[in-house]
Each structure stands twice: as structure tokens, then as C-alpha cells.
């Protein structure tokens, strides 16, 4: 990772171009050294003087700084500070610091905001024909998504979960919105379907463990998921309460349907792996429920070790990954599980699933962003401790200080995720790790849409006006 394009090419670029080239190279998994490409613009000399008045260049430098790797703080953190200082000096800070950086924003949202912006029509540097084509493309894809949402809502009503678990949050539209931002391409309909269905079920499951189930009921349900077989969902559920039987049946039917598709298309029997992932999630939920009932406050590391699983990111990605690739064997090898087409595999064993590092990192971001949005409401309800509460205890810190520490942890995790995308691409021999049909793209987009959902509050538990408008604009309002 120590050689950038300037080692091989004599690129005489201005700040805006250099920052853009750096961001594009990093974003496509191509090695690029920030010291070579960017430091000349803020390290003193004539280039720095010119850069201070280059508004486009400063904004590009600010965005490029969010593709840092661990250990690059001396360069890219300094670059961000330089950009922010000079943008603030020109009173441009409010226009960008209130928004998420591009690297943390789902591409579908970036496209929508760009196409709805006035400058798209006013900027003479942009070909109007290209803008019209892009708008038509957005609207056509939106129509595809809207048609899929109708089917998801029909499935949800037929499942009866909304009536059988009336105490739980009904968030099927929000679930599909997230799915459409994780995998927006029209040909990834199966991926969106399994993501939306699984996510909608998870919201109800989370409420069972957090709010409704008794300790004995939760232990019985977790045990029933662990004994899941394909004889009969009702028989495996045993003597569970009726609302838990309904949840058990929904989990079983949804995962069986998803696994049958993978088996039919690719010849791989992934149902035991899905079962193991559901059991791991329920066990992690149960740990949090026990912390809550016992009044136990874990350390930050102990909390996050369990919390990246309870984020539900691993389960969602595991269900989604086989739908986007023509070579599911590669995914199974990444999960370190030997499979064969006869339907047997070690996924039914007792050990934990070995998820790829990409999955863990995006799920850690998921967990920490969720905590930042939900900490206050959950602490008032007396729920299990969040990462912020753990930091407050461990650091003897105020809530404000703990929130700052968690935000720093999110930024550091993003640096690890940026690097892992490039490392994973090199290991797999991929020239573009962020193509639509890649694990890296799913993991990145999961982390990105989570930032959006939890940016100004808990957009799942209590959707804000902004969240509702965003869903309308993405799914219902043509450009």
C-alpha cells in the first residue's frame, strides 16, 4: 500500500483533481499513497497558498480524507483539518459539515440528491442530455423498487406478524428502503427481497428480546431456534407462547424459501448455515437481555464483541450474499465452512460462524451508529446498556465525552473497513471490489445506509420527518 500512481506517472494535477483521483483509486481498491498525491497541497509552499482559495479543491480534499486507512492520521486527518479550517474561513462549513461525507453515504442517496439539486440544471459544465438520461434511469429503477415493495407488503400482511405481535414495531417499508439502498441495481431483486423480509422479521424479534419476552420465555425460544429442524416449525417450537410460535414460523419459512432459491440456482445447501446464524443472533440477544435483568454493565470491548452480532448485520449479509454472486462456493470458503452439493456441511455444528472481516467491521459501524441514536430512549426505558453507557462507566466520563469516544470509534472502524476492502480485493484478485456483485459493496452500503437511518435519531423506532421524506423521495416521488 506504499506506492501511488505518482510513483509511476508524472501527474501535474491541481488539488481538486488530485483529491478526486485519490478517492477514485482508493474506492476501486487500487493502491494510492496520500503522502505522494495530496500532502504537497497542505504541507507548505506555493501549492498550499493556492489550495486555500480553491473551493472545489478543498471540498474534494475533505471528501478524500474519509478514505483513510489506519495509521494515516498524520496525513489525511491533517488534510481534513486543513480543508475544514479554510472552508470555515470562507463561511462554507454549514454546506458540507452538516451532511455525511460521500464515503459514508449510500450511492442511491447520492444520486437522488445530485439529480434533485438545482445545480444539475444550472451548471453549464454538465451536459443536459446526460442529466435527463440519469433522471430517467433513476425513475425507472424507482418504479422497479416500488413494484417490489408492493409484493413485500403483501407478504408481510399474509404472514400475520403485525397482528400476532401487536406490541412490536411494524417497519416493513423502512426495511425495504434500506434494502433498496444496499442493493439498488435492478437485477438484484432477490437480494432486496431477502434483505427486506429478514430485516422486517428482525425488528419484531428485537422487540421480543428487548421489551416483551420474560427471561424464561427468551431462553426457551433461543433453545428452540438452536434445535431447529426441517420436520415442522410448529413441532420444533414446542410449548412456546403463541406469539413466539408465530415468530419462529416466520423465521423458518423465510430462511427456507431463501435457501431453496440458492439450492435451485447453485446447488448449495445453505439452510444449516442460516439456522446457525439465527441461533447466534438469538444467543447474542439473550446475553443483552440477561445483562439488562441482572443490571450488569460490561466493558466496552465485551459489549462490542457481542454487539456487532446483535446489530443483525451478519445475519442480513449472510442471507444476501448468495443472491448477488454466481459463485457461492467462494462465499462459503470465506465463511470457512466446507460445503458440497449433497446438502451436508459443518454449518450445523456448535462452533461460531467465522464471518469475513468486512462483515464484522460493517456490523460494528451498524452497532455503534444505532447506539448513538437510541441510547437516551433505551436508558430511560432501562434497556440493556449501550456502547455509550459502557464508555461512561469505563472512562468515568460524561455522556457527551462518551458520545465523542464512540464517534471516534466509528471513524476508526471506517478506516479499517476502507483498508479491508483493498486487502480483500487483492486477495481475491478483483480489480473492482465495489462492483454491484461483490461482498465489499454490500458491506459498504450496509454501513452507509445505517449512517443515514440513524443520523438524526432512531429512524427505525421513531422515524423522523426527514426519514419519512427520504423514503418518499427514494421510493415514491419521481424526479
Amino acid at each position: 500500500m506504499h506506492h501511488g500512481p505518482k510513483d509511476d506517472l508524472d501527474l501535474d494535477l491541481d488539488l481538486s483533481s488530485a483529491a478526486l483521483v485519490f478517492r477514485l483509486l482508493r474506492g476501486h481498491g487500487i493502491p494510492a499513497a496520500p503522502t505522494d498525491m495530496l500532502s504537497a497541497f497542505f504541507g507548505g509552499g506555493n501549492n498550499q497558498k493556492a489550495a486555500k482559495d480553491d473551493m472545489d479543491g478543498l471540498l474534494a480534499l475533505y471528501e478524500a480524507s474519509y478514505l483513510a486507512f489506519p495509521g494515516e492520521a498524520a496525513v489525511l486527518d491533517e488534510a481534513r483539518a486543513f480543508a475544514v479550517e479554510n472552508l470555515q474561513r470562507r463561511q462554507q462549513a454549514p454546506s458540507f459539515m452538516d451532511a455525511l461525507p460521500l464515503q459514508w453515504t449510500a450511492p442511491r442517496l447520492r444520486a437522488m440528491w445530485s439529480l434533485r439539486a438545482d445545480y444539475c440544471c444550472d451548471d453549464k459544465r454538465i451536459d443536459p442530455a446526460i442529466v435527463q438520461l440519469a433522471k430517467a434511469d433513476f425513475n425507472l429503477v424507482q418504479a422497479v423498487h416500488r413494484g417490489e415493495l408492493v409484493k413485500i407488503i403483501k407478504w408481510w400482511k399474509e404472514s400475520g406478524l403485525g397482528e400476532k405481535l401487536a406490541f412490536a414495531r411494524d417497519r416493513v417499508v423502512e426495511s425495504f428502503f434500506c434494502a433498496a439502498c444496499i442493493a439498488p441495481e435492478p437485477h438484484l431483486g432477490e437480494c432486496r427481497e431477502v434483505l427486506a423480509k429478514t430485516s422486517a422479521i428482525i425488528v419484531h424479534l428485537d422487540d421480543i428480546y428487548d421489551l416483551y419476552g420474560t427471561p424464561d420465555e427468551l431462553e426457551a425460544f433461543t433453545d428452540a431456534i438452536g434445535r431447529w429442524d426441517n420436520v415442522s416449525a410448529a413441532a420444533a417450537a414446542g410449548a412456546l407462547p403463541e406469539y413466539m410460535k408465530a415468530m419462529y414460523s416466520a423465521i423458518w419459512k423465510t430462511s427456507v424459501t431463501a435457501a431453496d432459491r440458492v439450492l435451485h440456482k447453485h446447488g448449495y445447501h445453505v439452510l444449516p448455515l442460516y439456522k446457525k446464524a439465527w441461533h447466534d443472533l438469538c444467543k447474542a440477544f439473550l446475553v443483552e437481555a440477561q445483562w439488562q435483568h441482572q443490571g450488569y454493565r460490561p466493558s466496552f470491548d465485551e459489549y462490542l464483541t457481542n454487539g456487532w452480532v446483535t446489530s443483525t448485520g451478519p445475519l442480513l449479509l449472510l442471507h444476501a450474499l448468495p443472491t448477488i454472486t454466481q459463485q457461492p462456493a467462494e462465499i462459503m470458503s470465506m465463511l470457512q465452512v466446507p460445503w458440497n452439493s449433497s446438502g451436508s456441511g459443518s454449518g450445523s455444528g456448535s462452533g461460531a460462524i467465522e464471518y469475513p472481516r468486512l462483515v464484522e467491521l460493517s456490523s460494528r459501524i451498524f452497532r455503534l451508529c444505532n447506539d448513538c441514536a437510541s441510547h437516551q430512549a433505551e436508558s430511560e426505558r432501562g434497556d440493556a446498556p449501550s456502547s455509550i453507557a459502557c464508555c461512561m462507566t469505563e472512562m468515568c466520563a460524561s455522556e457527551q465525552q462518551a458520545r465523542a469516544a464512540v464517534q471516534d470509534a466509528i471513524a476508526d472502524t471506517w478506516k479499517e473497513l476502507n483498508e479491508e476492502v483493498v486487502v480483500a480485493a487483492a486477495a481475491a484478485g478483483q480489480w473492482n471490489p465495489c462492483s454491484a456483485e461483490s461482498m465489499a459493496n454490500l458491506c459498504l452500503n450496509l454501513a452507509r445506509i445505517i449512517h443515514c437511518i440513524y443520523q438524526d435519531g432512531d429512524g427505525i423506532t421513531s422515524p423522523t420527518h426527514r426519514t419519512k421524506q427520504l423514503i418518499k423521495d427514494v421510493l415514491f416521488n419521481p424526479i
Side-chain angles (χ1 to χ4, degrees):
M1 304 302 169
H2 301 295
H3 301 286
K6 290 194 76 170
D7 297 325
D8 303 312
L9 300 173
D10 184 16
L11 298 178
D12 184 17
L13 303 175
D14 59 16
L15 175 57
S16 180
S17 300
L20 178 60
V21 169
F22 173 79
R23 188 158 62 85
L24 290 174
L25 291 174
R26 277 278 170 98
H28 286 81
I30 301 171
T35 302
D36 296 336
M37 299 188 67
L38 302 175
S39 59
F41 294 100
F42 55 87
N46 293 331
N47 285 336
Q48 177 173 320
K49 292 179 181 178
K52 287 183 177 181
D53 296 318
D54 182 357
M55 297 305 302
D56 290 340
L58 291 169
L59 286 169
L61 182 63
Y62 173 80
E63 295 293 353
S65 71
Y66 281 93
L67 280 96
F69 290 169
E72 291 181 340
V75 179
L76 288 177
D77 286 1
E78 181 184 349
R80 187 182 309 164
F82 173 81
V84 170
E85 176 186 355
N86 287 283
L87 287 166
Q88 286 177 328
R89 179 173 58 84
R90 298 177 64 90
Q91 298 182 336
Q92 295 294 319
S95 64
F96 73 96
M97 293 191 68
D98 292 338
L100 289 172
L102 293 177
Q103 176 67 354
W104 295 7
T105 305
R108 186 68 177 165
L109 301 183
R110 290 185 226 160
M112 182 195 70
W113 285 324
S114 295
L115 293 171
R116 292 188 187 278
D118 291 336
Y119 72 78
C120 243
C121 300
D122 298 336
D123 194 333
K124 295 182 179 180
R125 295 173 298 178
I126 302 177
D127 188 334
I130 292 177
V131 174
Q132 290 303 313
L133 184 62
K135 289 181 178 181
D137 176 77
F138 185 93
N139 292 339
L140 288 170
V141 174
Q142 184 187 73
V144 171
H145 292 172
R146 194 162 53 245
E148 293 170 347
L149 176 59
V150 171
K151 296 178 182 179
I152 294 294
I153 292 175
K154 180 181 178 182
W155 160 83
W156 182 250
K157 290 180 177 178
E158 291 174 349
S159 75
L161 282 181
E163 294 76 32
K164 295 171 184 176
L165 284 75
F167 60 85
R169 295 164 293 171
D170 188 335
R171 296 294 182 266
V172 66
V173 175
E174 289 82 355
S175 295
F176 182 82
F177 164 75
C178 291
C181 289
I182 293 171
E185 290 77 9
H187 67 285
L188 299 181
E190 286 186 13
C191 184
R192 286 188 291 278
E193 179 183 343
V194 73
L195 279 171
K197 289 181 176 180
T198 305
S199 179
I201 291 172
I202 284 171
V203 174
H204 272 43
L205 183 65
D206 185 40
D207 287 345
I208 288 176
Y209 277 87
D210 273 358
L211 303 173
Y212 199 77
T214 68
D216 289 342
E217 288 174 345
L218 297 180
E219 289 189 16
F221 184 85
T222 304
D223 181 63
I225 291 292
R227 292 185 289 106
W228 171 1
D229 58 44
N230 58 5
V231 176
S232 164
L240 293 174
E242 289 303 317
Y243 77 94
M244 283 188 165
K245 287 182 180 179
M247 172 54 61
Y248 188 100
S249 178
I251 289 173
W252 188 81
K253 289 178 181 177
T254 303
S255 285
V256 166
T257 300
D260 283 348
R261 283 184 176 175
V262 176
L263 182 61
H264 176 73
K265 290 181 67 174
H266 305 298
Y268 283 83
H269 188 61
V270 296
L271 188 59
L273 191 58
Y274 289 172
K275 167 196 167 181
K276 187 70 182 66
W278 278 109
H279 192 211
D280 286 347
L281 176 61
C282 289
K283 287 189 294 184
F285 276 158
L286 183 61
V287 167
E288 289 190 346
Q290 290 170 339
W291 287 344
Q292 177 184 350
H293 289 296
Q294 297 167 4
Y296 176 71
R297 183 64 55 84
S299 68
F300 180 80
D301 288 341
E302 182 183 5
Y303 171 83
L304 197 53
T305 298
N306 189 72
W308 73 267
V309 179
T310 62
S311 75
T312 73
L315 179 71
L316 290 169
L317 291 167
L318 179 61
H319 278 71
L321 284 169
T323 69
I324 65 166
T325 178
Q326 298 300 313
Q327 297 177 310
E330 293 182 1
I331 292 174
M332 297 309 142
S333 67
M334 291 177 187
L335 294 170
Q336 300 180 19
V337 180
W339 294 95
N340 57 54
S341 57
S342 65
S344 61
S346 63
S348 58
S350 59
I353 297 173
E354 295 291 335
Y355 287 99
R357 182 73 170 155
L358 282 168
V359 173
E360 179 181 347
L361 292 170
S362 60
S363 298
R364 277 168 50 186
I365 293 170
F366 191 159
R367 177 76 276 158
L368 295 172
C369 287
N370 181 305
D371 286 354
C372 287
S374 61
H375 165 74
Q376 184 174 351
E378 290 182 351
S379 61
E380 290 172 356
R381 289 198 306 262
D383 286 0
S386 69
S387 56
I388 293 173
C390 294
C391 277
M392 291 173 67
T393 300
E394 191 170 306
M395 300 166 54
C396 296
S398 66
E399 180 178 335
Q400 183 178 5
Q401 291 170 323
R403 283 185 178 276
V406 171
Q407 290 294 339
D408 288 343
I410 292 172
D412 289 341
T413 305
W414 261 107
K415 292 176 182 178
E416 294 183 63
L417 183 57
N418 292 337
E419 184 174 48
E420 187 60 30
V421 168
V422 177
V423 171
Q430 295 174 323
W431 73 272
N432 183 7
C434 296
S435 65
E437 296 82 7
S438 74
M439 178 169 61
N441 193 56
L442 279 188
C443 292
L444 285 168
N445 284 347
L446 173 68
R448 288 163 172 162
I449 195 57
I450 290 305
H451 268 291
C452 175
I453 285 291
Y454 295 114
Q455 184 179 4
D456 59 353
D458 190 339
I460 297 297
T461 300
S462 304
T464 63
H465 173 75
R466 172 189 166 276
T467 302
K468 293 177 181 178
Q469 187 61 49
L470 195 58
I471 292 172
K472 291 178 183 178
D473 287 343
V474 170
L475 298 178
F476 301 105
N477 298 334
I479 296 177

